[in-house]
Amino acid sequence: MPSSDNYESVVGKASAEIASFAGRDKRLIDRFHHALHTTPALVPLIVLVTAIIIFGLALGTRFFSPFALTLILQQVQIVGIVAAAQSLVILTKGIDLSVGAIAVISSVVMGQFAFRYGLPPGFAVVCGLALGTAIGALNGWLVAQMKLPPFIVTLGMWQIVLAANFLYSQNETIRSQEIAEQAPLLQIMGAKFEVGGAVFTLGVVFMVLLVMVLAFVLKHTAWGRHVYAVGDDPEAAELAGVDVKRTLISVYALAGLICAFAGWALIGRIGSVSPTSGQLLNIESITAVVIGGISLFGGRGSILGTFFGALIVGVFTLGLRLAGADAQWTFLLIGVLIIAAVAVDQWIRKVAA
Amino acid sequence: MPSSDNYESVVGKASAEIASFAGRDKRLIDRFHHALHTTPALVPLIVLVTAIIIFGLALGTRFFSPFALTLILQQVQIVGIVAAAQSLVILTKGIDLSVGAIAVISSVVMGQFAFRYGLPPGFAVVCGLALGTAIGALNGWLVAQMKLPPFIVTLGMWQIVLAANFLYSQNETIRSQEIAEQAPLLQIMGAKFEVGGAVFTLGVVFMVLLVMVLAFVLKHTAWGRHVYAVGDDPEAAELAGVDVKRTLISVYALAGLICAFAGWALIGRIGSVSPTSGQLLNIESITAVVIGGISLFGGRGSILGTFFGALIVGVFTLGLRLAGADAQWTFLLIGVLIIAAVAVDQWIRKVAA
Amino acid sequence: AGHGVSACLITKTDTNPFFVKMREGATAKAEELGITLNSYAGKIDGDHETQVAAIETCIANGAKGILLTASDTSSIVPAVQQARDAGILVIALDTPLDPIDAADMTFATDNFLAGQLIGQWARAALGDDAANAKIATLDLNVSQPTVDVLRNQGFLQGFGIDLADPNVIGDETDPRLVGSDVTDGNEEGGRRAMENLLAKDPTINVVHTINEPAAAGAYEALRSIGRENDVLVVSVDGGCPGIQNVKEGVIGATSQQYPMLMASKGIEAIAAWAADGTKPSATDGKDFFDTGVALVTDNPVDGVESIDTTEGTNLCWG
Amino acid sequence: MEPILKGRGLVKRYGRVTALDSCDFDLMPGEILAVIGDNGAGKSSLIKAVSGAVIPDEGTVTLEGKEVRFASPIEAREAGIETVYQTLAMSPALSIADNMFMGREIRKPGWRGKWLRQLDRAAMEKMARDKLTELGLMTIQNINQAVETLSGGQRQGVAVARAAAFGSKVIILDEPTAALGVKESRKVLELIQDVKSRGIPIILISHNMPHVFEVADRIHVHRLGKRLCVIDPKDYTMSDAVAFMTGAKDAPEAA
Amino acid sequence: MEPILKGRGLVKRYGRVTALDSCDFDLMPGEILAVIGDNGAGKSSLIKAVSGAVIPDEGTVTLEGKEVRFASPIEAREAGIETVYQTLAMSPALSIADNMFMGREIRKPGWRGKWLRQLDRAAMEKMARDKLTELGLMTIQNINQAVETLSGGQRQGVAVARAAAFGSKVIILDEPTAALGVKESRKVLELIQDVKSRGIPIILISHNMPHVFEVADRIHVHRLGKRLCVIDPKDYTMSDAVAFMTGAKDAPEAA
Ligand SMILES: Nc1ncnc2c1ncn2[C@@H]1O[C@H](COP(=O)(O)OP(=O)(O)OP(=O)(O)O)[C@@H](O)[C@H]1O
Ligand SMILES: Nc1ncnc2c1ncn2[C@@H]1O[C@H](COP(=O)(O)OP(=O)(O)OP(=O)(O)O)[C@@H](O)[C@H]1O
Ligand SMILES: [Mg+2]
Ligand SMILES: [Mg+2]
């Protein structure tokens, strides 16, 4: 029988005490746990540092020298830049399989506009960047407005862009020496400077700056929070007042722009403009993202993690080659190490939970 | 003020009438809508039939002949089989990037066991199938037990298996003629029979049967329902009493087995045992799955859709080739058509909603 | 003459300038002879299934002849047999099938010879230093396709290194070999592979590269540590940018092949087959029609025949 | 008096299910309108249709006398309609403060807000904490906790706090106290009264009859996808209301 | 009398939050035990710890005198403990019948069930329909509807029906009527009485005091992660209970 006294009025008398459980924050291990929770990128960083130390111990100064360590940075710069773009897209629950193709066609356009049509190199670069942004925006439009699955959109776009790239460039390479003579601006991302044995290029600096800027934007601007919200639960985000479409289109367009920058950096790295470059960028960038701890299901992870993820692969590759593994064994061992890196990552998260 | 009469007791008098709204089922269009809702694979089927009709009209009997149409079946058989395995994995919210590598190493093991060690071909085939299953089960164990992301596990496995394949086979191809002489069983999946101009192979029959069996199993057995439940919401499935780990491991193991069968079919299709085959199987199988309407986020879609998805790509490819498009133009147009196929798919779903 | 005759060209990929030029050569010749040419290509190196599908398409399309650069030289044989059974003339370009007589004829470069020439040249160019050279080889990819093996092993043989198994890269034990790495045949891969090997041993002074883009990438890596002038880079292909690089000293020597010649010869053969059923015949003393290979360098050495870059430029493709 | 928010002939079909069957709807200025009805009667569908979360197949929605067609919840929000959906619409991985300010974040003053577009976290956190304290949700230990780590009731409290903080013309609450404890429910009811006293009308969907009869000015009884009748809680008992909504008794003639 | 289900010193921490703080717990045979407490007090955490959904950091669980350590909810189910979680634990894309029989599907009789392992859909659908009708959830138009297309209350009804149909030793209901309408809530209460009369003990978490006081034999008051006291609804009023659980009044000495 539903009875009723005026029981609800009692609550007025309730104490306003806030639940406070025994503080568990004193011990070092607890601080560590807390740090892991607030800074998820710490986990791949730990894996990275461990990998560097192990290879350093095993290989000595061959590996543990400013030269070798900065060489890794140079080797991962393209993947690192592209992976930053990939991270943005994956954070929104998407995936971008056209990143490599966009990078390449942008570099080809920069080169061909400067050489085939004789446009000023600065303008050619701008055209390349604009093209990359446009392709990205088209991806975004198809995903956001037409509601097509990102995998399919970017897979189709990858084929289209790559084929267009070959058709347009007629598979012609523009040689490093010609570029150096006539349009050195195209190679500027390859410009080097040394700091006590450590060799940096502008491309490396660009990568690091890019990651830092994106980390700031994702964490400290409304747009950044919207990117996470859209990836977390697009319907909830829409109901909560996020313009999901605009966010998606801007993410893909920005990813396109970043990939175009990667194309520019690619010219700096290989000297020449070659339409056959960058074929592995898709898989490599996604690998870096996932090793860096960003969920493929969107909404979780940080761009710093991606950066460390790219470095982890770079460290393994160079380390194994230095240790004398041949190409096939390196390939095999990197497979093992990719799994191991993520297993360690999971393990750290578990003991830290 | 919370007041209370005995209002809840009133409900006993409530009518037991079931909500029934005006029946909207009479019209043909409504039946069609209903069919689309209950049979999602209908959408890619419509796209497929439309594509066949368009190419048939454009190319005439060159395309619209039993020979050409069954040729498509032969050309998609490997992708079709692998895509069936891929569907299972994707239905559980996973992804399997090692499918191609498993297929290839299985075929290599079948060949090398028969030739290098002179084992009876039947036994060699069983070993190949067992190896594929074992690799799949290992994937599943890493995903289910170690809770590693499927993308990374299978990416690593892909590298490991592929490198192992090259190392083990020493990049040696076993020639078709030798197999035909000494171990024709390996090629049995390529055995042909003709029915009035239409040419079928055992591999094609296997693919069709496999799809039908899997469709039955997914729809009509507890295991099948569990696969969907795990992909839909693993935590809910676990709480509702599904053994999520066992389901995952069995799915990956079965996928491995199916891929090993694909490896066997591969020997039938190309005649020889070649360690370099199947490099595009990953991307092609995922494409078929997604075009077929299975969500990459798990739990939604049907394996029949995948089958039609594979056929759609096959029809486009053969159609464009017959139409004489250049390779790059073919790639470009297939890229366009993949996006278009999915856009049409979405459009049909929308008008049918 | 060849009205209504159609032919197919199937290349490994059509992203490599080598195959692009091959297609241009074939297209030009086909136009001249009034033959309809359809061309097909694999998506990536080693994409064998697409080639099989292409052959099947050619059969369905009623082609008279197929020009084929096989990705997988023995796996393609049953498909080729099917085409020949359907009365199609099949000519292997650039890469011989396994067995070589699976095709009606092969118009090819001898890739082993191409490798051997640059090996011999490198040894002669180093003179006495060859005995304590530090060699790096930059190969194609981990699946070690046939061209890759032939060029690599040819180079090592030419340089005077014991090959162990001539079908496998990397089983040699000569201490002069620092190591090998894979490049995917492009600049980026070339640079990365060179950097890796330099980190392993910075004293490398001879570099074999699978093709000229890889060589260009390797050169960038060398340049970045200031060693571009004291390392000998050799390569294979003979594309115009490659020859230009030889002229400028980026590459020491390269073995030039002639894809346009292969293609146009192939189209002529198909025209002849369509007209009166004659099949082309092999070069004397070989089981294929050798379209020739020439060493291009501006630093000729004794005992190795070579042409200079001016001549190379006239003959170059791409 | 003209209704501030009005729906006429609203129809929404999901495949074969008709969730709204030419439903009418009126919200008067300054009132608390309760919507009651069986599970599946179509209450949530109704408020989704008027708040832009779904686009009705037929029918019109009028806000302050002007016909509106919201293409998205954002437009409804911009028009001043704030809704707490039954599903709560939160991003699980984001923090409480992030969720409360989603789509209307506060930027830092000065150049950092203007040029770097940096968010003023401190301000947002303070405001979020204040709003939650108003609701008595003090068991939340950490304002930067991800929403997914909150208990069901805590989550609901955050959603209600968000709506109350930002609604300007109409506030819609779809079962706001379903998962709340006694104390927290009471706070929500107080909050509803409080919002009303600020002159903002409220739509309250609830299955809790005592609550409905306590706060509502009028009660919209929903049955089988349409408005059955509108009753005044002073004229009818809870038993009557339950009888109407379950079909045990016929509805009174005029609304 | 020995408790059928007993928890001692249960501790569960989530990062810095302590959801269970050495909590004790007793369920007697054949009784209805209500668990009440503020939002976030740790009620759901408690029942998750005893039903295998989370593994407690410390403490023991005893079922019928034997200590048990459930590694997963499946083990708890096999031991006869059936739970309706607050989050409902349903697969949205699957049908109502699929969800109800998840993990204990019925196979066709004869060779088709034995060899093809084919499911007996007709039987499962019939049984699902019967159970839902018992609960009065007749507004569900189609038993093959996907769960995601159900209204919030309909979903909850399905989850309760599932637990009632299969529980053998203990049934745990975490806020089973939160989203239910008046009619449907009443049916659930009847069902609870019904289950009790079959001799099966029930744990009921609810914020609805009238419901709690109507059906409970004993009331476990949960506060700040632990059991504050256990009271007999005949000895105390609702006001007392609310006062205990909110901390407005001190708890009585002995449980
Ligand atoms: N997205 C959807 N797809 C299909 N059917 C739906 C969908 N949303 C709601 N329905 C159906 O529409 C009808 C009305 O649902 P609605 O959520 O509006 O009910 P409600 O009155 O809010 O019920 P409750 O009190 O349980 O929340 C139900 O029969 C439900 O099954
Ligand atoms: N997965 C989790 N991660 C982190 N914290 C959690 C998690 N689950 C619960 N908590 C925290 O544990 C405490 C107890 O939560 P619990 O869900 O047990 O509360 P409850 O008593 O069931 O509340 P309600 O009545 O609102 O359902 C809350 O402070 C909550 O924030
Ligand atoms: Mg509702
Ligand atoms: Mg709870």
Side-chain angles (χ1 to χ4, degrees):
Chain A
M1 183 220 62
S3 80
S4 159
D5 48 22
N6 202 343
Y7 66 94
E8 295 198 345
S9 60
V10 173
V11 299
K13 292 171 238 150
S15 76
E17 165 198 12
I18 295 181
S20 69
F21 301 116
R24 300 203 308 126
D25 269 56
K26 324 266 129 73
R27 286 173 298 151
L28 202 70
I29 179 92
D30 291 320
R31 295 235 182 109
F32 175 64
H33 285 181
H34 183 60
L36 284 182
H37 277 280
T38 49
T39 324
L42 223 53
V43 182
L45 179 61
I46 295 171
V47 174
L48 174 64
V49 171
T50 317
I52 293 179
I53 291 173
I54 292 177
F55 277 116
L57 290 177
L59 299 168
T61 52
R62 271 195 302 160
F63 181 85
F64 212 68
S65 66
F67 175 78
L69 292 178
T70 48
L71 181 59
I72 295 173
L73 277 174
Q74 288 178 49
Q75 292 189 336
V76 302
Q77 63 176 308
I78 310 295
V79 173
I81 296 172
V82 171
Q86 189 70 265
S87 302
L88 289 176
V89 173
I90 289 181
L91 277 177
T92 67
K93 228 184 192 130
I95 193 158
D96 195 339
L97 300 178
S98 63
V99 283
I102 295 179
V104 173
I105 205 169
S106 303
S107 76
V108 165
V109 162
M110 291 176 194
Q112 296 289 351
F113 274 36
F115 283 83
R116 198 188 293 181
Y117 312 131
L119 299 172
F123 184 72
V125 167
V126 171
C127 290
L129 296 177
L131 179 72
T133 314
I135 299 173
L138 181 56
N139 277 335
W141 183 79
L142 288 166
V143 168
Q145 199 73 39
M146 307 289 289
K147 306 220 179 298
L148 305 184
F151 187 93
I152 282 294
V153 166
T154 56
L155 177 76
M157 199 56 80
W158 168 62
Q159 293 215 13
I160 295 170
V161 170
L162 214 58
N165 160 49
F166 288 123
L167 290 167
Y168 173 68
S169 69
Q170 298 167 328
N171 304 69
E172 265 167 31
T173 304
I174 305 174
R175 293 171 52 245
S176 175
Q177 288 71 9
E178 282 167 36
I179 298 175
E181 260 167 43
Q182 294 167 45
L185 180 72
L186 295 183
Q187 291 178 340
I188 193 134
M189 291 285 225
K192 271 184 298 193
F193 57 95
E194 250 192 78
V195 186
V199 183
F200 297 93
T201 64
L202 269 192
V204 168
V205 174
F206 175 79
M207 167 179 68
V208 173
L209 281 181
L210 176 73
V211 168
M212 277 164 33
V213 168
L214 286 178
F216 173 86
V217 167
L218 283 174
K219 190 136 196 179
H220 293 289
T221 71
W223 183 83
R225 301 326 289 171
H226 293 182
V227 169
Y228 278 91
V230 166
D232 215 358
D233 185 339
E235 274 153 47
E238 176 90 40
L239 290 178
V242 173
D243 193 335
V244 173
K245 281 181 193 166
R246 224 184 50 194
T247 308
L248 280 177
I249 295 179
S250 64
V251 162
Y252 281 87
L254 179 59
L257 175 63
I258 296 175
C259 290
F261 270 106
W264 192 9
L266 189 64
I267 305 180
R269 169 137 174 90
I270 65 177
S272 45
V273 171
S274 153
T276 51
S277 318
Q279 295 185 12
L280 296 172
L281 280 177
N282 287 341
I283 200 84
E284 285 175 352
S285 66
I286 301 174
T287 307
V289 169
V290 183
I291 291 188
I294 295 186
S295 160
L296 282 176
F297 298 107
R300 280 136 212 267
S302 93
I303 197 136
L304 277 176
T306 296
F307 177 57
F308 299 137
L311 285 176
I312 289 173
V313 178
V315 166
F316 284 162
T317 314
L318 187 70
L320 287 172
R321 298 315 325 258
L322 285 181
D326 71 17
Q328 290 183 337
W329 278 103
T330 307
F331 196 71
L332 192 151
L333 288 173
I334 288 193
V336 174
L337 288 172
I338 284 176
I339 297 180
V342 178
V344 169
D345 180 310
Q346 286 286 3
W347 178 79
I348 295 179
R349 276 171 220 274
K350 203 164 139 195
V351 296
Chain B
M1 185 217 65
S3 81
S4 159
D5 49 20
N6 202 341
Y7 66 93
E8 295 198 343
S9 60
V10 174
V11 300
K13 292 170 234 150
S15 74
E17 166 198 12
I18 294 182
S20 70
F21 301 116
R24 302 202 307 125
D25 270 56
K26 323 264 127 81
R27 287 173 299 153
L28 201 69
I29 179 93
D30 291 322
R31 295 233 183 111
F32 175 63
H33 285 179
H34 183 61
L36 283 184
H37 277 279
T38 49
T39 324
L42 223 54
V43 181
L45 181 61
I46 295 171
V47 174
L48 173 64
V49 171
T50 317
I52 293 179
I53 291 173
I54 292 176
F55 277 114
L57 290 178
L59 298 170
T61 52
R62 270 195 304 161
F63 181 85
F64 213 67
S65 65
F67 176 77
L69 290 179
T70 48
L71 184 58
I72 295 173
L73 278 173
Q74 289 177 47
Q75 293 185 344
V76 302
Q77 63 176 308
I78 310 296
V79 173
I81 295 172
V82 171
Q86 189 71 264
S87 303
L88 289 176
V89 174
I90 289 182
L91 278 177
T92 66
K93 229 184 192 127
I95 193 157
D96 194 340
L97 300 178
S98 64
V99 283
I102 296 179
V104 172
I105 205 169
S106 303
S107 76
V108 164
V109 162
M110 292 176 194
Q112 296 288 353
F113 275 35
F115 284 82
R116 199 187 294 181
Y117 312 131
L119 298 171
F123 183 72
V125 168
V126 170
C127 290
L129 297 177
L131 178 72
T133 315
I135 299 173
L138 181 56
N139 277 336
W141 182 80
L142 288 167
V143 169
Q145 200 72 38
M146 306 289 288
K147 306 218 178 300
L148 305 184
F151 187 93
I152 281 294
V153 166
T154 57
L155 176 75
M157 200 56 81
W158 167 66
Q159 294 212 9
I160 295 170
V161 171
L162 211 60
N165 160 49
F166 292 136
L167 288 166
Y168 173 69
S169 68
Q170 297 170 323
N171 304 79
E172 258 170 39
T173 302
I174 304 173
R175 293 169 48 223
S176 174
Q177 295 79 344
E178 284 166 36
I179 298 176
E181 262 167 42
Q182 295 168 45
L185 180 72
L186 295 183
Q187 290 178 338
I188 193 136
M189 291 285 226
K192 273 185 220 173
F193 55 97
E194 252 192 74
V195 186
V199 184
F200 297 94
T201 64
L202 268 191
V204 167
V205 174
F206 175 80
M207 166 179 69
V208 173
L209 281 181
L210 175 74
V211 168
M212 278 165 32
V213 168
L214 285 178
F216 173 86
V217 167
L218 282 174
K219 190 137 197 177
H220 293 290
T221 70
W223 183 82
R225 300 326 288 170
H226 293 183
V227 169
Y228 277 91
V230 167
D232 216 357
D233 185 340
E235 274 152 48
E238 176 90 41
L239 290 178
V242 173
D243 193 335
V244 173
K245 281 182 192 164
R246 223 183 50 195
T247 308
L248 280 177
I249 295 179
S250 64
V251 162
Y252 281 86
L254 179 58
L257 175 64
I258 295 174
C259 290
F261 271 105
W264 192 9
L266 191 66
I267 306 180
R269 167 125 179 97
I270 66 178
S272 52
V273 171
S274 154
T276 54
S277 320
Q279 297 187 19
L280 295 169
L281 280 176
N282 287 341
I283 200 85
E284 285 175 352
S285 65
I286 300 173
T287 308
V289 168
V290 183
I291 292 188
I294 294 186
S295 159
L296 282 176
F297 299 107
R300 281 134 212 267
S302 93
I303 198 136
L304 276 176
T306 296
F307 178 57
F308 299 137
L311 286 176
I312 289 172
V313 179
V315 166
F316 284 161
T317 313
L318 186 73
L320 287 173
R321 284 213 192 98
L322 282 176
D326 261 359
Q328 287 304 338
W329 279 105
T330 308
F331 293 153
L332 196 151
L333 289 173
I334 288 190
V336 173
L337 288 171
I338 284 176
I339 297 181
V342 178
V344 169
D345 180 311
Q346 286 286 2
W347 179 77
I348 295 178
R349 276 171 219 272
K350 202 164 140 192
V351 296
Chain C
H3 279 294
V5 174
S6 81
C8 292
L9 173 68
I10 304 171
T11 51
K12 288 181 193 174
T13 67
D14 67 354
T15 57
N16 186 331
F18 184 81
F19 299 119
V20 175
K21 285 300 149 183
M22 185 179 268
R23 192 177 73 210
E24 278 173 17
T27 309
K29 196 66 176 182
E31 238 163 60
E32 183 189 323
L33 300 179
I35 291 176
T36 321
L37 181 74
N38 288 328
S39 42
Y40 306 99
K43 290 197 184 89
I44 53 169
D45 253 315
D47 176 10
H48 162 71
E49 287 83 347
T50 301
Q51 294 199 321
V52 174
I55 293 180
E56 288 167 344
T57 310
C58 296
I59 300 172
N61 245 346
K64 277 280 176 248
I66 296 175
L67 305 179
L68 170 71
T69 60
S71 279
D72 185 322
T73 51
S74 69
S75 296
I76 200 77
V77 169
V80 167
Q81 192 54 46
Q82 211 185 335
R84 290 176 75 184
D85 291 345
I88 298 174
L89 180 76
V90 179
I91 293 179
L93 298 186
D94 177 53
T95 314
L97 301 188
D98 176 17
I100 196 163
D101 59 7
D104 290 293
M105 183 44 62
T106 306
F107 293 173
T109 310
D110 190 333
N111 274 306
F112 191 85
L113 177 63
Q116 213 173 359
L117 286 173
I118 51 175
Q120 286 166 348
W121 179 85
R123 181 162 69 165
L126 283 178
D128 294 342
D129 290 342
N132 37 33
K134 292 278 182 196
I135 306 168
T137 64
L138 304 189
D139 303 312
L140 193 51
N141 61 39
V142 286
S143 73
Q144 301 193 0
T146 341
V147 246
D148 197 10
V149 177
L150 287 173
R151 288 181 187 179
N152 176 291
Q153 300 287 298
F155 165 78
L156 295 179
Q157 172 124 324
F159 202 85
I161 285 172
D162 178 45
L163 294 185
D165 184 344
N167 292 317
V168 177
I169 296 176
D171 61 346
E172 300 79 14
T173 52
D174 195 304
R176 287 176 291 176
L177 268 176
V178 171
S180 62
D181 205 339
V182 294
T183 65
D184 292 313
N186 62 36
E187 289 86 349
E188 158 87 269
R191 173 154 190 182
R192 181 190 303 242
M194 193 71 243
E195 284 171 345
N196 287 346
L197 292 168
L198 281 172
K200 195 171 171 192
D201 184 346
T203 65
I204 287 168
N205 60 1
V206 178
V207 180
H208 159 82
T209 57
I210 181 70
N211 62 9
E212 288 142 3
Y219 182 79
E220 290 296 318
L222 291 168
R223 200 160 61 99
S224 80
I225 59 162
R227 292 207 53 220
E228 70 269 30
N229 293 323
D230 46 299
V231 176
L232 213 51
V233 180
V234 292
S235 194
V236 177
D237 252 5
C240 297
I243 299 298
Q244 188 66 25
N245 279 340
V246 175
K247 186 175 252 166
E248 293 177 12
V250 171
I251 299 173
T254 193
S255 287
Q256 188 172 43
Q257 356 177 37
Y258 301 100
M260 297 178 87
L261 182 65
M262 292 175 198
S264 56
K265 287 267 182 225
I267 293 290
E268 281 171 9
I270 291 172
W273 165 256
D276 50 24
T278 48
K279 289 187 182 179
S281 50
T283 308
D284 287 341
K286 297 193 176 176
D287 49 6
F288 64 100
F289 185 100
D290 191 347
T291 51
V293 55
L295 185 73
V296 182
T297 179
D298 286 334
N299 302 309
V301 295
D302 286 343
V304 191
E305 209 176 305
S306 63
I307 59 177
D308 66 10
T309 51
T310 321
E311 197 178 345
T313 307
N314 291 335
L315 296 171
C316 78
W317 45 269
Chain D
M1 203 166 43
E2 255 302 286
I4 179 165
L5 187 64
K6 189 168 79 174
R8 282 295 169 268
L10 295 170
V11 174
K12 179 71 205 173
R13 298 191 195 90
Y14 292 105
R16 303 216 282 182
V17 176
T18 307
L20 285 181
D21 194 10
S22 38
C23 172
D24 294 343
F25 170 84
D26 295 286
L27 175 71
M28 295 298 168
E31 77 168 348
I32 296 178
L33 176 75
V35 177
I36 63 173
D38 272 349
N39 288 129
K43 304 178 295 299
S44 297
S45 303
L46 172 63
I47 61 109
K48 280 190 189 154
V50 301
S51 71
V54 304
I55 297 169
D57 299 329
E58 290 167 32
T60 58
V61 175
T62 316
L63 179 68
E64 296 184 314
K66 279 189 287 292
E67 193 178 322
V68 286
R69 291 187 174 279
F70 299 130
S72 78
I74 305 176
E75 292 181 12
R77 271 173 51 157
E78 276 163 8
I81 300 179
E82 197 67 32
T83 311
V84 175
Y85 295 97
Q86 206 169 358
T87 51
L88 301 184
M90 308 251 226
S91 301
L94 296 186
S95 75
I96 297 170
D98 278 338
N99 266 290
M100 280 192 61
F101 287 86
M102 186 60 59
R104 48 196 153 204
E105 293 79 0
I106 305 176
R107 285 201 219 127
K108 281 229 162 118
W111 62 276
R112 287 205 290 179
K114 194 152 176 207
W115 299 111
L116 303 181
R117 310 180 79 80
Q118 192 175 356
L119 297 177
D120 192 345
R121 282 191 184 275
M124 297 200 294
E125 280 166 20
K126 179 167 178 320
M127 188 159 159
R129 200 186 306 274
D130 290 351
K131 293 289 159 197
L132 289 176
T133 313
E134 262 175 44
L135 275 176
L137 276 167
M138 294 152 306
T139 48
I140 292 176
Q141 296 175 29
N142 175 1
I143 202 86
N144 285 319
Q145 218 168 323
V147 161
E148 64 193 338
T149 65
L150 294 178
S151 79
Q154 291 171 328
R155 262 181 239 200
Q156 199 157 41
V158 173
V160 172
R162 172 168 69 182
F166 295 104
S168 67
K169 278 209 190 106
V170 175
I171 292 181
I172 304 179
L173 305 170
D174 193 353
E175 306 194 19
T177 59
L180 290 190
V182 177
K183 189 171 68 180
E184 293 80 4
S185 304
R186 197 102 296 270
K187 294 277 181 183
V188 170
L189 292 184
E190 281 168 19
L191 185 101
I192 290 176
Q193 306 273 24
D194 192 53
V195 169
K196 182 188 162 184
S197 71
R198 277 164 26 209
I200 301 174
I202 291 168
I203 302 169
L204 170 70
I205 299 183
S206 177
H207 291 299
N208 189 320
M209 288 306 132
H211 287 172
V212 164
F213 273 75
E214 182 187 344
V215 299
D217 296 312
R218 295 188 311 138
I219 298 174
H220 167 135
V221 181
H222 208 79
R223 185 163 161 75
L224 301 181
K226 47 165 93 77
R227 178 167 70 179
L228 183 75
C229 59
V230 177
I231 58 175
D232 186 318
K234 287 184 287 294
D235 302 340
Y236 292 89
T237 63
M238 290 195 225
S239 303
D240 293 330
V242 171
F244 296 146
M245 92 189 197
T246 55
K249 229 194 227 178
D250 280 342
E253 281 303 279
Chain E
M1 202 164 49
E2 255 303 286
I4 179 165
L5 187 63
K6 189 169 80 177
R8 281 296 170 268
L10 295 170
V11 174
K12 179 72 204 172
R13 298 190 195 90
Y14 292 106
R16 304 217 280 181
V17 177
T18 307
L20 285 181
D21 192 11
S22 39
C23 173
D24 294 343
F25 170 84
D26 295 285
L27 176 71
M28 296 297 168
E31 77 169 347
I32 297 178
L33 176 75
V35 177
I36 63 174
D38 271 349
N39 289 129
K43 305 179 296 297
S44 298
S45 303
L46 172 64
I47 61 109
K48 280 189 190 157
V50 301
S51 72
V54 302
I55 297 169
D57 298 328
E58 290 166 32
T60 57
V61 176
T62 316
L63 179 68
E64 294 183 315
K66 278 189 289 293
E67 194 179 320
V68 286
R69 291 189 175 276
F70 300 130
S72 79
I74 305 176
E75 292 181 13
R77 271 173 51 158
E78 276 162 9
I81 301 179
E82 197 68 31
T83 311
V84 176
Y85 295 97
Q86 204 170 0
T87 52
L88 302 182
M90 309 250 225
S91 301
L94 295 186
S95 75
I96 297 169
D98 278 338
N99 266 291
M100 280 193 61
F101 286 86
M102 186 60 60
R104 49 198 151 205
E105 292 80 0
I106 305 175
R107 286 204 217 124
K108 280 230 161 117
W111 64 275
R112 289 206 289 180
K114 192 151 177 211
W115 299 110
L116 302 183
R117 311 180 77 82
Q118 192 175 356
L119 297 177
D120 193 344
R121 281 192 185 277
M124 295 199 297
E125 280 165 19
K126 180 168 177 319
M127 187 161 160
R129 203 185 306 274
D130 290 350
K131 291 289 160 198
L132 289 177
T133 313
E134 261 174 43
L135 276 176
L137 275 168
M138 295 152 306
T139 48
I140 291 176
Q141 296 174 29
N142 176 2
I143 201 87
N144 285 317
Q145 218 169 323
V147 162
E148 64 192 339
T149 65
L150 293 179
S151 79
Q154 291 170 330
R155 260 180 240 201
Q156 198 157 43
V158 173
V160 173
R162 173 168 68 181
F166 295 104
S168 69
K169 278 208 192 107
V170 175
I171 292 181
I172 304 179
L173 304 171
D174 193 353
E175 306 194 20
T177 60
L180 290 189
V182 177
K183 189 170 68 181
E184 294 79 5
S185 303
R186 196 102 297 273
K187 294 276 182 185
V188 170
L189 292 184
E190 282 168 20
L191 186 104
I192 290 176
Q193 307 273 23
D194 193 53
V195 169
K196 181 188 163 182
S197 70
R198 277 164 28 208
I200 300 174
I202 292 168
I203 302 169
L204 170 69
I205 298 182
S206 177
H207 291 300
N208 189 321
M209 289 305 131
H211 287 173
V212 165
F213 272 75
E214 181 186 347
V215 300
D217 296 313
R218 295 189 312 140
I219 300 174
H220 167 136
V221 182
H222 208 79
R223 184 163 163 73
L224 301 182
K226 46 164 93 74
R227 177 166 70 178
L228 183 75
C229 58
V230 177
I231 59 176
D232 187 317
K234 287 185 287 295
D235 302 341
Y236 292 89
T237 63
M238 288 195 228
S239 301
D240 294 330
V242 171
F244 295 147
M245 93 192 197
T246 55
K249 228 195 231 178
D250 280 341
E253 281 302 280

